[in-house]
């Protein structure tokens, strides 16, 4: 590590992030890795010496966005007289790195999601115009070990990566190819990172993983050193001073074990919100997707979680128009949604991804039918989301204050159920958990009145 760079040696860094929360986390870590080299964030790509585009490959549209962004950056690079370095990171970099360099020669560096700890070395090589411009090896363990153990917090809520990669191979999905095999981080490292965040005022952590509940990281030697489950990890982290709220995302029904379900009942810091993607309500389609569970198995998990934590808010992801999906299959999805009742859900039209088994399947569904189904599903989900939000009116909720609201005097924060909450209050509340009486609700947020300021935590 070098010391803090003086003003003159600062270089501008601009990171554009697409895709999931894992990419958001990775972008923060890229910033951490580059800080000792004198890179400091700037507000616009034009002002940057280094632009990192952290990409997503999940659907065709996401990938296309990357190429159009790179076109714009190329023009900026030319205007800068070639001073700007363009790096492409993330899942498109992993999936089609060679093609990226061919399609957009203005790109200087390409690095996959498991290689960004090598960025300093790559930048040095690029400046001397030697060596490879492409790093897409899967060195996940090496990456975890190479990352700085402590981090700079940015507000009272933070992501902490605990698991990466996916071995599930759903037939529609590119993630197992772009992120590699399932690997868990060591509990010691997770604790160090969480403590460092807590000491900077972080109150809420969200544990991240492509299949976060497949976590099986080695426990500290003092605790026996065996592998721990996510439930054990959550209980352990909840004892770190200052950490009042724990969330995790995204989980898979197959890894929803009894202990994790029990943790929702016995660990008050574990927030009453569960994002458990199901994709479809039809057993035939679930089988063809290789999800490894039935719709009833999913219903059963939700019932068991609700038994130990009756107020838990359930979230999910859905795909409509998977190859072979009939009207009856789609109706089974609608029925599952009616049965569960979601607080929030994300739904997508199936997008055929080259190299995945589903791309080769028969019975691709027309765009028109996909559109129709998506509209029907989203109308139902919107109705449920609106009802869930309205059900909070009259309650007093503990809200983690995350910043100033849009209007003067207004603050915003998040409820235990991950709803955005707006209320009038002083700026000094930022970072605290306060009680807010909910007086209004809409599709996307709640409004409330400050009821009680608790004693500042710690
Ligand atoms: N690991 C998580 C989700 C990862 S991707 C899980 O197993 O559920 C996030 C979401 O994108 C998925 O839940 C799925 O709904 C959607 N998705 C993934 N591949 C897709 C594709 N080819 N077309 C449309 N949506 C897709
Ligand atoms: Fe993709 Fe399935 Fe893995 Fe989720 S579990 S990342 S949907 S392959
Ligand atoms: Fe996208 Fe990669 Fe995340 S494909 S959704 S950025 S794991």
């Amino acid at each position: 590590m070098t010391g803090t760079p003086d003003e003159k040696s600062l270089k501008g860094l601009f990171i554009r992030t697409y895709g999931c929360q894992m990419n958001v986390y990775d972008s923060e870590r890229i910033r951490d890795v580059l800080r000792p080299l004198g890179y400091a964030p700037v507000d616009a790509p034009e002002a940057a010496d280094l632009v990192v585009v952290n990409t997503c490959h999940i659907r065709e549209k996401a990938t296309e966005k990357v190429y159009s962004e790179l076109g714009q950056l190329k023009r900026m690079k030319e205007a800068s007289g070639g001073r700007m370095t363009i790096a492409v990171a993330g899942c498109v970099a992993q999936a089609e790195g060679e093609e990226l360099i061919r399609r957009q020669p203005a790109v200087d560096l390409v690095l996959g999601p498991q290689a960004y700890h090598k960025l300093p070395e790559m930048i040095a090589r690029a400046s001397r115009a030697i060596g490879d411009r492409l790093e897409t090896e899967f060195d996940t363990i090496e990456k975890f070990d190479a990352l700085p153990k402590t981090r700079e917090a940015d507000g009272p809520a933070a992501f902490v990566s605990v698991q990466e990669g996916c071995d599930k191979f759903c037939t529609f999905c590119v993630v197992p190819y772009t992120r590699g095999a399932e690997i868990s981080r060591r509990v010691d490292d997770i604790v160090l990172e969480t403590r460092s965040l807590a000491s900077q005022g972080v109150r809420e952590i969200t544990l991240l993983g492509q299949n976060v509940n497949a976590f099986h990281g080695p426990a500290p030697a003092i605790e026996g050193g065996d592998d721990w489950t996510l439930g054990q990890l959550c209980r352990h982290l909840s004892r770190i001073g200052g950490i009042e709220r724990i969330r995790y995302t995204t989980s898979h029904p197959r890894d929803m074990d009894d202990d994790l379900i029990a943790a929702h009942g016995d660990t008050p810091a574990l927030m009453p919100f569960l994002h458990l993607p199901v994709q479809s309500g039809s057993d035939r389609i679930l089988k063809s997707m290789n999800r490894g569970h039935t719709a009833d198995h999913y219903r059963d998990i939700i019932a068991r979680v609700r038994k130990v934590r009756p107020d838990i808010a359930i979230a999910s992801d859905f795909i409509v128009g998977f190859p072979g999906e009939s009207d009856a299959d789609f109706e089974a999805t609608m029925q599952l949604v009616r049965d569960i009742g979601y607080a929030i859900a994300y739904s997508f039209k199936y997008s055929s991804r080259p190299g995945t088994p589903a791309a080769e399947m028969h019975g691709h569904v027309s765009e028109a039918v996909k559109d129709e189904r998506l509209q029907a599903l989203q109308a139902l989900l919107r109705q449920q989301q609106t009802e869930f939000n309205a059900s909070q009116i009259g309650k007093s909720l503990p809200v983690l204050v995350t910043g100033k609201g849009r209007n003067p005097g207004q603050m915003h924060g998040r409820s235990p159920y991950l709803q955005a909450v707006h209320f009038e209050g002083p700026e000094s509340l930022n970072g605290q958990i306060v009680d807010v009486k909910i007086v209004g609700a809409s599709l996307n947020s709640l409004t409330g009145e400050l009821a009680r300021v608790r004693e500042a935590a710690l």
Side-chain angles (χ1 to χ4, degrees):
M1 287 267 252
T2 55
T4 312
D6 59 41
E7 283 292 317
K8 270 191 223 137
S9 67
L10 279 184
K11 287 170 271 195
L13 169 67
F14 185 83
I15 307 182
R16 174 93 68 204
T17 308
Y18 295 100
C20 61
Q21 282 137 328
M22 190 61 89
N23 260 15
V24 173
Y25 176 83
D26 286 349
S27 289
E28 286 171 17
R29 299 305 265 154
I30 289 173
R31 200 187 57 196
D32 293 342
V33 165
L34 293 174
R35 190 176 298 116
L37 271 72
Y39 283 96
V42 291
D43 293 336
E46 290 89 341
D49 299 279
L50 173 63
V51 176
V52 180
V53 186
N54 199 2
T55 61
C56 175
H57 197 51
I58 201 84
R59 285 168 288 274
E60 193 180 354
K61 260 195 200 152
T63 305
E64 279 314 309
K65 252 193 221 157
V66 172
Y67 283 101
S68 78
E69 167 111 35
L70 289 176
Q72 288 167 19
L73 288 174
K74 175 182 181 261
R75 287 187 286 281
M76 285 179 208
K77 181 176 180 165
E78 284 163 0
S80 80
R83 178 184 54 95
M84 178 192 283
T85 300
I86 302 176
V88 183
C91 291
V92 178
Q94 186 66 42
E96 39 190 73
E98 308 260 357
E99 189 187 334
L100 247 165
I101 293 177
R102 224 178 311 121
R103 248 177 94 171
Q104 185 46 272
V107 170
D108 299 287
L109 302 170
V110 175
L111 61 153
Q114 310 307 353
Y116 59 76
H117 59 294
K118 296 185 185 157
L119 196 47
E121 182 191 322
M122 292 177 76
I123 292 170
R125 283 204 309 248
S127 69
R128 297 195 305 262
I130 52 164
D132 229 344
R133 293 200 283 157
L134 181 75
E135 284 283 0
T136 48
E137 293 299 311
F138 285 122
D139 292 330
T140 318
I141 292 286
E142 190 192 300
K143 179 185 80 174
F144 279 153
D145 288 345
L147 288 175
K149 296 284 178 251
T150 53
R151 292 173 46 196
E152 236 170 72
D154 184 16
F159 292 133
V160 175
S161 162
V162 302
Q163 182 278 342
E164 281 211 28
C166 181
D167 297 339
K168 301 287 188 295
F169 289 92
C170 299
T171 52
F172 51 81
C173 183
V174 294
V175 172
Y177 312 98
T178 63
R179 292 273 172 171
E182 284 179 5
I183 285 174
S184 299
R185 232 175 137 186
R186 279 202 308 271
V187 173
D188 276 337
D189 286 353
I190 297 167
V191 168
L192 271 179
E193 187 169 326
T194 306
R195 279 216 189 102
S196 136
L197 291 166
S199 71
Q200 298 170 69
V202 167
R203 295 285 158 266
E204 175 176 309
I205 52 166
T206 301
L207 308 178
L208 288 184
Q210 260 88 33
N211 276 287
V212 70
N213 52 347
F215 173 82
H216 55 87
I222 194 174
E223 306 268 358
D226 292 341
D227 281 2
W228 272 3
T229 62
L230 187 65
Q232 287 171 292
L233 179 69
C234 287
R235 290 191 190 95
H236 188 72
L237 296 176
S238 73
R239 291 194 281 269
I240 293 180
I243 297 300
E244 297 189 42
R245 295 177 159 199
I246 299 176
R247 305 177 184 278
Y248 60 86
T249 199
T250 304
S251 43
H252 193 290
R254 263 153 71 186
D255 295 315
M256 207 63 210
D257 61 50
D258 292 345
D259 185 53
L260 183 56
I261 294 177
H264 277 283
D266 65 35
T267 309
L270 198 50
M271 287 290 98
F273 183 93
L274 173 64
H275 186 173
L276 193 65
V278 64
Q279 316 300 351
S280 168
S282 153
D283 288 345
R284 212 173 61 83
I285 295 297
L286 286 170
K287 188 153 195 280
S288 178
M289 287 176 163
N290 191 33
R291 290 289 291 179
H293 62 85
T294 62
D296 277 350
H297 178 208
Y298 181 86
R299 284 184 177 89
D300 179 57
I301 295 169
I302 301 295
R304 285 193 289 142
V305 180
R306 280 185 165 152
K307 202 162 164 206
V308 297
R309 187 76 211 234
D311 66 329
I312 197 159
I314 307 294
S316 197
D317 296 351
F318 294 91
I319 294 177
V320 299
F322 184 80
E325 186 186 72
S326 65
D327 285 343
D329 293 318
F330 176 64
E331 174 48 31
T333 299
M334 294 291 276
Q335 190 53 45
L336 180 71
V337 173
R338 284 181 216 114
D339 291 347
I340 301 290
Y342 286 99
I344 190 164
Y346 305 91
S347 45
F348 312 98
K349 288 189 277 182
Y350 167 73
S351 171
S352 180
R353 308 307 287 128
T356 59
E360 311 296 322
M361 286 179 187
H362 297 294
H364 278 260
V365 174
S366 73
E367 263 325 283
V369 171
K370 282 188 206 169
D371 276 332
E372 210 176 283
R373 289 181 185 164
L374 188 69
Q375 274 181 34
L377 175 61
Q378 290 188 338
L380 177 58
L381 291 168
R382 267 199 307 273
Q383 184 197 330
Q384 293 192 343
Q385 187 173 330
T386 307
E387 281 167 12
F388 178 74
N389 287 349
S391 74
Q392 310 297 331
I393 294 176
K395 288 189 197 160
S396 178
L397 296 180
V399 171
L400 175 67
V401 186
T402 48
K404 279 198 281 185
R406 239 174 272 142
N407 304 327
Q410 206 184 45
M411 299 298 287
H412 68 69
R414 48 174 75 160
S415 78
Y417 313 105
L418 211 51
Q419 295 146 303
V421 184
H422 304 279
F423 63 97
E424 308 259 302
E427 255 181 72
S428 58
L429 295 181
N430 202 4
Q432 292 192 43
I433 296 177
V434 298
D435 288 334
V436 175
K437 174 135 194 265
I438 304 306
V439 296
S442 66
L443 175 64
N444 291 315
S445 64
L446 305 177
T447 48
E449 289 161 1
L450 187 60
R452 188 164 68 96
V453 178
R454 299 169 171 205
E455 248 175 73
L458 297 179

